Amino acid sequence: MDTLVASGPDCEIQAGAQVGLRYRDGCKPVRLGAHARIRSGTIIYCDVTAGDHLQTGHHALIRAETTLGDHVTVGTNVVIEGQVTIGSFVKIEAGSFIPTHCRIGNRVFFGPNVTVTNDRFPLRRRDEYQAQGCVIEDNVTIGGGVVLCPGVTIGAGSFVAAGAVVTKDIPSQSLAIGVPARIEPLPENLREPNMALSWRKYLDPHGGR
């Protein structure tokens, strides 16, 4: 299939990846910064812009009108449905799902199989439907298997424990745990910024290979 991509220096797009998938007439090329590593099976639609050091696993999907900052890792089988804004120094581990109309800050970590939602009444009440994406502020950690319900905001510096189901906003510097998630003060030993000194190594410990 015909593709469109404009990439910076030292980018590697493996065989079997589609970068710049045309989905409509007049769409704009994918723009990749320097040092991208796009692994086989990944599909990136046109109208996506990424900063330097984008890394993907295999079979990741990034749909149109997504913007990603620098040093972002999108793991194997991650789906980003488009119209999403992602900051810098973000890692999204394998199998996570991010729907439209979400905004993700800087230094955010998603564990594996995190599910973010944006539709309160799927296939019901269509006459009043409006997508309600989640907002995830800076320095947030989200454990594996977490579910974020539509429209919630996760405040800066918060930690969402594995398996939690978040049904309401989480204030900054909080711990969310359980089903439905209850909110507790963030313990002192979890109040440090996410990987402030060694994040780049953590994002891609094997050098992008």
Side-chain angles (χ1 to χ4, degrees), residues 22 36 41 58 104 111 117 120 133 179:
R22 296 176 188 259
H58 298 280
I104 299 167
T117 61
R120 290 187 179 276
V179 181

Side-chain angles (χ1 to χ4, degrees), residues 71 89 91 195 197-207:
H71 296 278
F89 299 97
K91 184 172 186 182
M195 300 298 291
L197 297 178
S198 57
W199 191 274
R200 178 176 177 183
K201 180 179 179 181
Y202 178 63
L203 284 178
D204 193 13
H206 304 296

Side-chain angles (χ1 to χ4, degrees), residues 145-170:
V146 165
V147 176
L148 302 182
C149 290
V152 301
T153 294
I154 310 298
S158 290
F159 193 107
V160 183
V165 177
V166 179
T167 61
K168 59 185 178 182
D169 292 350
I170 305 298

Side-chain angles (χ1 to χ4, degrees), residues 81-83 97 99-101 117-133 150:
E81 281 285 9
Q83 301 179 60
F97 175 80
T100 62
H101 300 88
T117 61
N118 70 354
D119 188 348
R120 290 187 179 276
F121 306 104
L123 296 182
R124 305 290 176 94
R125 298 169 63 171
R126 293 295 89 183
D127 56 330
E128 56 189 271
Y129 167 74
Q130 184 175 0
Q132 296 178 290

Side-chain angles (χ1 to χ4, degrees), residues 2-206:
D2 195 15
T3 58
L4 290 169
V5 59
S7 57
D10 186 36
C11 287
E12 178 184 338
I13 301 174
Q14 293 183 355
Q18 284 187 290
V19 180
L21 178 65
R22 296 176 188 259
Y23 67 101
R24 63 173 177 85
D25 291 339
C27 55
K28 297 179 181 178
V30 169
R31 297 196 176 276
L32 300 177
H35 316 297
R37 298 291 183 267
I38 311 300
R39 291 178 173 81
S40 60
T42 290
I43 300 174
I44 303 178
Y45 278 53
C46 286
D47 295 322
V48 168
T49 300
D52 295 339
H53 297 281
L54 173 65
Q55 309 275 347
T56 77
H58 298 280
H59 302 283
L61 174 62
I62 305 175
R63 292 188 186 274
E65 299 181 39
T66 295
T67 301
L68 308 99
D70 298 328
H71 296 278
V72 175
T73 292
V74 179
T76 294
N77 291 326
V78 167
V79 175
I80 301 173
E81 281 285 9
Q83 301 179 60
V84 171
T85 301
I86 299 173
S88 295
F89 299 97
V90 173
K91 184 172 186 182
I92 305 169
E93 289 209 335
S96 293
F97 175 80
I98 301 172
T100 62
H101 300 88
C102 291
R103 178 165 55 85
I104 299 167
N106 300 309
R107 296 186 184 276
V108 171
F109 174 82
F110 281 66
N113 299 306
V114 171
T115 301
V116 184
T117 61
N118 70 354
D119 188 348
R120 290 187 179 276
F121 306 104
L123 296 182
R124 305 290 176 94
R125 298 169 63 171
R126 293 295 89 183
D127 56 330
E128 56 189 271
Y129 167 74
Q130 184 175 0
Q132 296 178 290
C134 295
V135 175
I136 300 166
E137 296 182 348
D138 295 346
N139 285 301
V140 167
T141 293
I142 300 174
V146 165
V147 176
L148 302 182
C149 290
V152 301
T153 294
I154 310 298
S158 290
F159 193 107
V160 183
V165 177
V166 179
T167 61
K168 59 185 178 182
D169 292 350
I170 305 298
S172 298
Q173 297 293 321
S174 296
L175 173 65
I177 184 169
V179 181
R182 64 184 185 273
I183 301 169
E184 301 178 359
L186 189 67
E188 287 297 327
N189 63 357
L190 293 178
R191 288 180 177 266
E192 62 186 31
N194 280 352
M195 300 298 291
L197 297 178
S198 57
W199 191 274
R200 178 176 177 183
K201 180 179 179 181
Y202 178 63
L203 284 178
D204 193 13
H206 304 296

